Amino acid sequence: MPRVYITRKGLNIKLKGKAEKIFVKADPAELYAVKPTDFHLLVPKLEVKEGDVVKAGTPLFHDKNNPAIKFASPVSGIVASINRGERRVIQEVIIKASADLVYEQFPKGDPAAMDRDQIISVILSSGTWPAIRQRPYNIIASPARTPKSIFISAFDTAPLGPDFDFLIKGSEKEFQAGIDVLARLTPGLVHVNISDEFPASPAFSKARNARVNYFRGPHPAGNAGIQIHRIDPVNKGEIVWTIGPQEVIMIGRLFMNGVYDASKVVALTGSEVLKARYYRLISGASIKNIVLNNVTEGDHRYISGNVLTGTRIDPEGYVGYYDSQVTVIPEGTEPEFLGWAKPGFGKFSLSRTFFSWLAPGREYRINTNMQGGHRAFVATGVYEKVLPMKIYPMQLFKAIMIEDIELMEQLGIYEIAEEDVALCEYVCPSKMELQALVRKGLDLMIKEMS
Amino acid sequence: MKFLSRYIDSIKPHFSKGGKFEKLSATFEAFETFLFVPGKVTTRGAHIRDSLDMKRLMSIVVIALLPALLFGMYNAGYQHFKLIGETRTFWPIFGFGFLKVLPILVISYVTGLAIEFAFAQIRGHEVNEGFLVTGMLIPLVMPVNVPLWMVVVATAFAVIIGKEVFGGTGMNILNPALTARAFLFFAYPGDMTGDRVWVAGGGAIPPDASTGATVLGNMAQSVIDKVGFSELVSKLPGDLDAFLGFIPGSIGETSKLAILIGAFILVYTGVGSWKIIVSTVVGGLAMGWLLNAFSANAYMEIPAYKHLLYGGFAFGAVFMATDPVTASQTETGKWIYGFLIGMLAILIRVLNPAYPEGMMLAILLMNVFAPLIDHYVLQANISKRERRLKKALKLNNQ
C-alpha cells in the first residue's frame, strides 16, 4: 500500500464556476502565441521573422543564455507578428495557423534503447524541453544537471482547478510513454502524486516506472512544491524537476509519433462563464473562440491559470504555456460603503470574521478587489495556517525583504516557489504582494549562486 | 452612497502627489478607507484576496472587548454606590459608571489617534488601525479614578516611546497598552495603587474605610501582616462574585465572564491565538500548585484556580498576551511564551508584595523575551535543515 501524505494546513477557496466534465470542441483558434514572459528570466533570441512559414515544432526562438533550449511553434502557419513591450522586450510571437496541421519530424524511439544524452537532445530539439521545470527557483530545468528525482502532480487543488483524471482520458498510453522517458533522465524516482480523496485514473494510480504517492488535504496539497517538501526535500545544491501531466503526455507523443503535438485540454472556469466546460485545443491558442458568447455581461478579468497564480490576459489573449485552465471573474472596481463593517454573509474568508461561516457549503462569486488598503506588516499568524511546510513563512519573507542571502538559505528558500505562497498572499490582511516578494528572493539567490 | 463616493473621488486629486493638500494624504486615505473599501483591484500575484483586512481584524478585537467595557462601566457605578452604602436600580448605576468611564475612553482615543495620524503624515505611510484596539485597552487597564491628564500623558508615552520609536505598527516590542499602564504605575504610584483609586468618588469615603482595596492588594497586605490562612480566606470575595466581576479593580479586568465572552469571540473568529490563552492559564495554574506545595505563608496556600479569578490575570491572558506583534511569532514559541507569562504573573504576585499585580510585569517581561524564544525555535528549524543536508551529502559520497 503506497503511503498517504496528509496535510492539514491550507485553504480551499470555494468559487462559483467549476467546469462540468464535458469535452467541448470549439472552432479551432486562428491565432496562437508563444510568450517568452511565461518563462521566468528567459532572454529570447528569435530564430524567425514576421512572415516566415513554420510547422508545428519549428523553433521560434531560443534561450540566449542556453541556446540548446528552443521554443517551438505549437501549430503550422505563418509568423503573423512579433509583439514587443517596453525596451523592445519580446512579449509574444504570434502564429497564424494554416488550415491543416503540418508537423516537423523528429526521430521516434524507444527511450529504453536510447542513452540519456540522446533523449535530452530529442526533447531539446523538438522544443518540448521548457515543459520541464526545476526546483529550486522554479525555472526551466537546466539540461546540464541531473535531478535527484522528478515530480508529477496529477491533481490540482487550486480554486476551480481542472480534474486531471478527466482530462487525461484518451491519452493514457502517451502519459505512460512520457513517464518511461522521464525515468531515464534521473537516477532517482519519478513520483506521480495523486489525491487520496477520490479514485484516480488508472493511468496515474497504476503508472509503471514511477512511484505513486497519495495526498490528502486542502490546497496547496496539489502543488509540486508541497509534495517535494514532504517526500524528497530540496537541499542546498540539489535539483528536483517538476512537470505537469499534460506536458508528460506531450513528451510521450514526441517519442511515440516523432512530432511536437501540443494539443491539450483546458478547463474554462469562473463565475462569469456561462457554460464552464473542458476544451480540447492546442497550447498557446487564443481564447477568443471559447469565451465568445460564453461569458456574462460586464467588466471581467480573464486569467490564464487559476485565480491565485494565473496570468492576466486579454479577452482575445492566449492560453499560457503551463496552464490547463482559464478563469473568468468579475473586476472589483466598485468601492463598497463601510464594507469592512458589514456582517458579510456573502464574503469568503479564512477567518470567521464574516458571517459567511454560517453557510459552509456555499460557493462564492469573488471579484478582483483588494478588499482593503495596504498596511504595515503585522505578524497575525495567518500565513502559518495556509502553508503546509516546515518553513516559517513570515520570517522567510522578512529575510527576503532585508535581502539576507544566508538567512534566506537557512530558512528554506530552496524549497519554496511563488505558487506555494499564493495562499499566504491571498489571506494576508496587510495586502502584501508575497508572490512577487518570493520571486525577488529566488532571483537574488540565482544571482548569488551564479 | 454614489454621491459620497463621487465626492471623495472628486477631491482625491488634491490629496494625491502634487495636489494642494499633498501633506494630508495619509489622513485622507484613513477617512477614505474608513468610508469605503476602496475599488482598488489586484494588479499582480493572486487575483482575488481574502475579505479580511486590518480594519476588520481590529474591529473584531474591539467587539471582543465590548462586554468587558460595558460591564466595567456598570461595575464602576456598582462599586461606588456599594461603598457609599446606597442602593440604586440598574440604570442609575450604569449611568454613573458610563459617565466615569466614557471620558477616559474618549481621551485615550483622541490622544492616541492624533499622534498616530501625525506620525503617518510625517513618515508618509498609511494610518494603521492598530490603535483602535490599543485605545480601547488603555482605559480598560486603568483604575476608574485615574486623572484624565494622566491618561493623556500615558497614552502619548505608550504610542511614541512604546510604538513609534520602534518603527510603528508591527515593529513594537512592548504591548503599547501595558506600556501606558506601566508608565503610570511607576511614575504616579499613588494614583495607580492603594485603596483609594479603584472606586469612583472615593474622596467621599471616610478615611478609615478599607473596602475599596482590590483583592490582590488585600492579599499582598496579608503577607506583610502575617495573617493566617483562614483569616485571609474570610476576607476574599466569593468565587461567583469574582467570576461575574462585582469586585473592585481596573475598569475592564473584573468580570471573568465578560472576558470569557471576548476570548470566545477572538478564538472562534481565528483572530486571537488560543495557544497563548491556554498556555498562560496552564502556566498560572502550574505556578499556583507549585506554591501550594510549599505553602510558606497564607497567600501561598490560596487554591491555584482562585488566582485566575482575581486581578488582571484573565484580562491579560486573553487581550494582552495574545497581541500578535509583541507575542512570540512562532507556533512552538507561543506555548512557551504563554506558559512563562502565567508562571511569572503568579510568582510576582505571591512572592513580591510590593507588586500586588504581577500580570502586567509578567507580560512586559515576556514581550522582551519573545524574540529570544523565537530565535531558538527558528534555530531548531535551521539546524534540522542543516542536518538533512549533511545526511544527503554523506549518502552522495558513499
Side-chain angles (χ1 to χ4, degrees), chain B residues 72-276:
Chain B
M73 288 175 170
Y74 178 78
N75 193 44
Y78 176 84
Q79 294 298 332
H80 169 78
F81 290 114
K82 188 180 167 197
L83 198 64
I84 61 174
E86 289 177 28
T87 45
R88 296 287 162 90
T89 54
F90 175 80
W91 285 110
I93 294 175
F94 183 79
F96 179 88
F98 179 76
L99 291 178
K100 279 281 166 199
V101 174
L102 190 65
I104 307 178
L105 187 66
V106 171
I107 287 283
S108 146
Y109 268 123
V110 170
T111 313
L113 284 177
I115 298 171
E116 284 272 335
F117 272 81
F119 268 93
Q121 219 64 87
I122 295 165
R123 292 226 177 97
H125 61 58
E126 309 87 3
V127 178
N128 284 290
E129 284 85 2
F131 193 79
L132 292 181
V133 172
T134 310
M136 181 86 141
L137 282 172
I138 289 176
L140 293 182
V141 295
M142 294 288 164
V144 69
N145 257 354
V146 66
L148 291 181
W149 67 267
M150 279 192 198
V151 179
V152 175
V153 175
T155 306
F157 180 84
V159 174
I160 296 170
I161 306 294
K163 191 156 85 173
E164 293 299 340
V165 292
F166 292 104
T169 304
M171 313 284 223
N172 47 314
I173 291 170
L174 299 175
N175 183 313
L178 278 182
T179 310
R181 193 178 194 278
F183 173 74
L184 290 187
F185 184 83
F186 290 109
Y188 306 99
D191 292 283
M192 292 300 286
T193 47
D195 302 350
R196 304 264 127 205
V197 302
W198 305 102
V199 180
I205 308 162
D208 55 335
S210 67
T211 43
T214 63
V215 182
L216 294 178
N218 280 336
M219 292 210 281
Q221 192 61 38
S222 76
V223 176
I224 298 163
D225 299 345
K226 293 196 168 54
V227 298
F229 180 65
S230 51
E231 195 190 333
L232 176 65
V233 170
S234 70
K235 277 198 199 163
L236 292 177
D239 284 349
L240 189 65
D241 271 356
F243 178 73
L244 294 177
F246 296 103
I247 50 173
S250 298
I251 294 166
E253 72 175 23
T254 62
S255 173
K256 310 305 158 322
L257 179 64
I259 292 164
L260 267 182
I261 297 171
F264 179 78
I265 295 175
L266 287 186
V267 171
Y268 190 75
T269 54
V271 168
S273 165
W274 61 272
K275 285 177 190 164
I276 294 179

Side-chain angles (χ1 to χ4, degrees), chain B residues 1 24 34 129 150 155 222 230 258 277 289 305 314 330 374 386:
Chain B
M1 287 309 128
L24 289 175
F34 176 82
E129 284 85 2
M150 279 192 198
T155 306
S222 76
S230 51
I277 300 177
W289 285 320
Y305 78 91
T330 55
D374 284 342
E386 277 164 359

Side-chain angles (χ1 to χ4, degrees), chain A residues 222-405:
Chain A
N223 280 9
I226 308 299
Q227 296 160 1
I228 297 168
H229 181 81
R230 288 297 296 270
I231 297 171
D232 193 9
V234 180
N235 294 305
K236 185 182 180 176
E238 292 178 341
I239 300 274
V240 169
W241 286 355
T242 66
I243 180 168
Q246 303 225 67
E247 285 76 29
V248 176
I249 293 170
M250 286 180 204
I251 291 182
R253 283 195 290 243
L254 174 65
F255 280 78
M256 285 171 76
N257 311 328
V259 291
Y260 173 54
D261 177 355
S263 54
K264 65 178 179 183
V265 180
V266 168
L268 179 62
T269 62
S271 60
E272 304 316 296
V273 177
L274 297 174
K275 279 185 184 152
R277 305 272 164 88
Y278 287 84
Y279 287 84
R280 287 188 194 278
L281 36 77
I282 295 174
S283 184
S286 162
I287 61 166
K288 189 177 164 189
N289 287 344
I290 65 172
V291 296
L292 192 72
N293 299 326
N294 197 13
V295 291
T296 57
E297 289 285 304
D299 188 13
H300 300 326
R301 179 169 300 189
Y302 296 80
I303 301 162
S304 174
N306 64 60
V307 291
L308 290 176
T309 60
T311 319
R312 183 181 192 162
I313 55 174
D314 295 333
E316 297 188 356
Y318 307 90
V319 179
Y321 186 88
Y322 298 106
D323 299 327
S324 306
Q325 182 184 8
V326 169
T327 313
V328 187
I329 55 170
E331 286 284 0
T333 45
E334 192 64 20
E336 191 188 358
F337 182 66
L338 291 182
W340 57 276
K342 286 181 180 166
F345 290 102
K347 292 192 168 187
F348 184 73
S349 175
L350 164 74
S351 65
R352 292 203 192 90
T353 51
F354 293 88
F355 281 100
S356 49
W357 57 264
L358 287 169
R362 190 176 157 166
E363 290 179 339
Y364 295 83
R365 178 174 179 262
I366 300 179
N367 63 32
T368 60
N369 194 285
M370 286 294 278
Q371 314 283 357
H374 175 263
R375 289 293 180 268
F377 204 153
V378 173
T380 48
V382 289
Y383 305 149
E384 288 78 0
K385 291 179 188 169
V386 293
L387 184 69
M389 288 178 148
K390 287 191 179 108
I391 280 180
Y392 287 94
M394 201 203 52
Q395 284 77 6
L396 179 59
F397 298 153
K398 288 196 169 174
I400 298 173
M401 281 175 185
I402 58 170
E403 304 188 358
D404 185 334
I405 301 281

Side-chain angles (χ1 to χ4, degrees), chain A residues 307 338 340 342 353 410 425, chain B residues 34-35 46-47 50 56 385:
Chain A
V307 291
L338 291 182
W340 57 276
K342 286 181 180 166
T353 51
Q410 288 178 331
E425 179 173 80
Chain B
F34 176 82
L35 286 173
H47 296 270
D50 197 285
R56 183 74 177 192
R385 192 164 284 118

